[in-house]
Amino acid sequence: MKALIALILLVQLPIHKAVPAAPPAPLGCDDPESEEAAEFAVNYINGHNHHGYKFSLNRIDNIRKIPQELNNDLVFLELDLLETTCHVLNPTPLENCTVRSFTEHAVEGDCDVKLQKLDGKYSVLASKCHSHADSSEDVLQVCPDCPLLTSLNNTEVLTAVTTALNDHNSKTAHAYLRLLEIGRAKIQYEPAHIVSVEFAVAATNCSAADAKDNVEACQLLPDDQSNFGFCTATMVKRPSQDLTVDCQLYGHQPGVTYSHPGYDTSAGLAPSVVQGFINHNLKLSHNNPFASESSSSEFPTSALSAKSVAKRAVAEVAQHDKVPHPVGFVSPPPPCPGKIRHFKI
């Protein structure tokens, strides 16, 4: 009898259906996982940028993670970067490189990066980057007297670089240096006429004394001995004439190479040597041909569209705020875009 009663009670118990697990919340742009992915992407970008300067993360504009299978995710990032004072040949770690201030005529980089996160480790499947200098109007509005970036093949710029490097080579007892590339140049006209230049250099197999007799024989050191460096120079043309030059060699860095043989400045530089842009474009376009994910070259709008996703997130929060909430309720911030680390261009 007791067994029958127990069976009846068991049959009468309510049946609870299994509730499917809720999908994971989307990543916010300032989440630790997002910042980890962005750090990996920025290091990759700097490691594959062969001209100009290293870039630092300014803001994560958008992130989208798409699970593929167990411990395998695709991560789409859109990043805002800012140029630092460290040339790409400079061995200084990125975290110790200073981001150029707004009034130095800052340069911003925009990057789309597609990552794969497999078993907790990231790899880059595809990346697209470009950069641009802030508008002159924006700089002058904040600092009317600040000099602006000028074309790298400006005649005054080429003269300043030639004069500065020749001056350094004439005074040093060490290796004869050759020009690799001009990094930045600015000209100030009032109240004084000043040309400021920055340029990358490399040591040759000649001493400065040897180069005086046969500069044509001086060649850059081979890759296993290469020694790159960087110079800054200021040429005052009015009211007085003055030249200040500071060159630093970094020492040999295994694995660090540069793509062209360098320019001899002893005979001057032709305007055609450097293209007529004002900053080196962070022009990076890469697809990993060995990626395990078949569509590695794509940045589908359904997966990553920073502007549309950001606008949608803001709209959703705005709509959410229209619903009555208890007193003291604080609406959550939109997941993207993230915080600005330095300043917005």
Side-chain angles (χ1 to χ4, degrees):
M1 186 64 178
K2 290 182 178 179
L4 179 61
I5 294 173
L7 179 61
I8 293 173
L9 292 174
L10 180 63
V11 171
Q12 292 177 342
L13 288 176
I15 299 175
H16 296 282
K17 295 182 179 180
V19 178
L27 281 177
C29 279
D30 294 329
D31 290 352
E33 185 176 353
S34 304
E35 295 188 342
E36 180 187 21
E39 180 182 4
F40 182 89
V42 171
N43 287 334
Y44 174 89
I45 290 164
N46 284 321
H48 289 76
N49 178 24
H50 302 301
H51 298 279
Y53 299 85
K54 296 179 182 180
F55 280 77
S56 179
L57 179 65
N58 189 36
R59 179 167 70 171
I60 302 173
D61 266 349
N62 191 40
I63 184 168
R64 181 81 177 271
K65 183 170 76 170
I66 303 177
Q68 299 297 289
E69 53 192 44
L70 184 63
N71 295 326
N72 184 7
D73 300 318
L74 294 182
V75 181
F76 295 85
L77 285 167
E78 182 162 312
L79 306 175
D80 285 346
L81 313 180
L82 285 174
E83 184 186 79
T84 72
T85 58
C86 292
H87 192 269
V88 292
L89 296 172
N90 190 330
T92 302
L94 179 62
E95 57 269 21
N96 295 333
C97 294
T98 303
V99 171
R100 291 190 187 273
S101 67
F102 182 85
T103 53
E104 286 183 274
H105 205 167
V107 174
E108 180 183 40
D110 299 308
C111 291
D112 291 332
V113 185
K114 182 178 183 180
L115 302 173
Q116 182 178 37
K117 188 177 184 182
L118 181 61
D119 295 328
K121 294 183 178 180
Y122 287 105
S123 60
V124 173
L125 301 182
S127 57
K128 297 177 183 177
C129 293
H130 71 278
S131 60
H132 61 278
D134 191 14
S135 71
S136 300
E137 291 77 11
D138 287 348
V139 178
L140 294 177
Q141 187 175 7
V142 175
C143 183
D145 298 326
C146 287
L148 302 172
L149 290 175
T150 191
S151 172
L152 299 183
N153 67 344
N154 178 288
T155 302
E156 288 189 79
V157 169
L158 298 179
T159 299
V161 171
T162 297
T163 305
L165 189 51
N166 290 344
D167 181 78
H168 171 83
N169 280 326
S170 69
K171 295 177 180 178
T172 184
H174 303 293
Y176 181 82
L177 302 183
R178 282 203 171 188
L179 173 70
L180 293 180
E181 68 178 27
I182 301 173
R184 285 170 64 100
K186 294 190 290 186
I187 301 178
Q188 176 180 323
Y189 294 99
E190 297 296 340
H193 188 172
I194 303 173
V195 183
S196 302
V197 291
E198 300 178 4
F199 50 97
V201 294
T204 68
N205 57 358
C206 296
S207 68
D210 294 336
K212 293 179 181 178
D213 300 324
N214 188 11
V215 68
E216 290 80 9
C218 299
Q219 302 297 323
L220 296 187
L221 296 172
D223 289 346
D224 61 348
Q225 303 174 37
S226 62
N227 190 358
F228 301 115
F230 192 72
C231 300
T232 58
T234 302
M235 175 181 281
V236 179
K237 304 181 72 173
R238 180 180 51 81
S240 60
Q241 293 189 346
D242 188 31
L243 177 67
T244 304
V245 186
D246 179 33
C247 291
Q248 175 189 6
L249 286 174
Y250 301 131
H252 177 60
Q253 304 173 69
V256 177
T257 60
Y258 195 79
S259 58
H260 71 68
Y263 304 107
D264 175 25
T265 59
S266 61
L269 292 171
S272 59
V273 166
V274 184
Q275 296 181 16
F277 46 74
I278 64 173
N279 66 281
H280 287 277
N281 189 7
L282 181 64
K283 191 175 182 181
L284 182 67
S285 182
H286 165 76
N287 295 314
N288 185 349
F290 304 106
S292 59
E293 203 276 328
S294 59
S295 59
S296 63
S297 63
E298 299 176 0
F299 291 92
T301 55
S302 60
L304 177 60
S305 178
K307 293 182 174 60
S308 62
V309 172
K311 288 180 180 178
R312 185 170 67 248
V314 173
E316 289 174 353
V317 172
Q319 182 66 31
H320 182 64
D321 285 344
K322 294 179 182 179
V323 180
H325 298 298
V327 176
F329 177 85
V330 178
S331 298
C336 285
K339 63 185 178 184
I340 296 175
R341 290 159 172 77
H342 302 285
F343 52 85
K344 182 173 175 57
I345 290 183

